[in-house]
Amino acid sequence: MLLVDHQTGTLNFAANRPHEMIISRTRALARLAKALNIPVVLTSSQEDQAQGPLLEDLKSLLPEEFEARVKRAGITNAWDDENYKSAVLKAANGKKNIIMAGLTNDVCIVWPSISMVADGFDVQVVIDAGGSPSQIADDIAQQTWEGQGVRTTTINQLISELVHNWATEEGQRVFPILFEEVMSKVGQFS
């Protein structure tokens, strides 16, 4: 799982969905990864600039991954950053399925997702754990990545795809995440 540029300043560039929604979905992804033992790579861009630091929630939910985050020096396509690419390849350990989300979809997600598909990965973008400056920017980003073979999903759809059955041990570990981070907030975001 790749969480790209979920930074306090970059969050302000996402105007097409409520910030609380993006944060709750990002928290859900972090908690989901922990519950299902999915490796996570965090990255940020220019934390000392307008983008700001990564969300504090990521530090508390994924402390080891937070400390190991790849701090990019402004490269917009994270996949072009050799340190990031190395961290992702190490975490993937030969696997080809990638789940990713980030801020913003129209810049930080569209290009690395396409680049990773070109390099043979099966990539899913969790669209509601990110946003863009406008809905049209988000729509064009989605059309662009889907045109290159990247799949789009939402947090609910991803969780149900990964779990399959709430009655299993995995399902019992994951259901509280779905309820606390997503379902309990239904209706809060318009």
Side-chain angles (χ1 to χ4, degrees):
M1 182 175 301
L2 310 178
L3 299 179
V4 180
D5 299 348
H6 283 97
Q7 296 170 249
T8 59
T10 308
L11 183 62
N12 294 318
F13 302 149
N16 66 314
R17 59 185 56 84
H19 294 174
E20 297 80 14
M21 174 187 277
I22 295 168
I23 293 168
S24 76
R25 277 33 176 196
T26 303
R27 287 180 52 83
L29 288 172
R31 292 179 64 195
L32 178 67
K34 274 285 198 214
L36 299 179
N37 296 314
I38 298 171
V40 178
V41 177
L42 301 176
T43 186
S44 62
S45 178
Q46 298 181 311
E47 290 184 15
D48 60 341
Q49 302 292 319
Q51 294 91 325
L54 284 178
L55 297 173
E56 193 66 27
D57 288 348
L58 294 175
K59 184 176 185 178
S60 62
L61 293 169
L62 300 167
E64 293 172 21
E65 295 84 348
F66 184 88
E67 289 305 317
R69 71 191 180 279
V70 178
K71 298 178 186 178
R72 300 184 334 278
I75 296 172
T76 56
N77 182 347
W79 196 242
D80 288 340
D81 183 293
E82 288 304 318
N83 293 324
Y84 181 71
K85 191 174 196 175
S86 293
V88 171
L89 293 173
K90 181 179 178 185
N93 195 24
K95 296 180 179 132
K96 292 294 184 177
N97 293 321
I98 300 291
I99 300 164
M100 67 187 309
L103 292 168
T104 59
N105 288 327
D106 66 327
V107 175
C108 304
I109 293 300
V110 69
W111 309 122
S113 67
I114 290 169
S115 296
M116 293 181 75
V117 165
D119 283 352
F121 287 90
D122 177 16
V123 179
Q124 286 190 77
V125 171
V126 183
I127 198 165
D128 54 344
S132 294
S134 67
Q135 189 56 50
I136 195 165
D138 222 45
D139 294 344
I140 295 300
Q142 182 180 356
Q143 290 170 19
T144 302
W145 72 54
E146 286 178 349
Q148 299 299 312
V150 177
R151 295 184 295 137
T152 305
T153 192
T154 63
I155 191 67
N156 289 3
Q157 187 176 354
L158 176 70
I159 290 173
S160 65
E161 178 183 349
L162 293 175
V163 173
H164 302 290
N165 184 343
W166 301 120
T168 65
E169 185 179 322
E170 271 185 350
Q172 293 297 302
R173 285 195 316 263
V174 171
F175 186 77
I177 297 166
L178 176 64
F179 182 76
E180 293 164 11
E181 301 293 350
V182 181
M183 301 311 289
S184 67
K185 295 172 181 13
V186 170
Q188 289 182 4
F189 312 120
S190 40

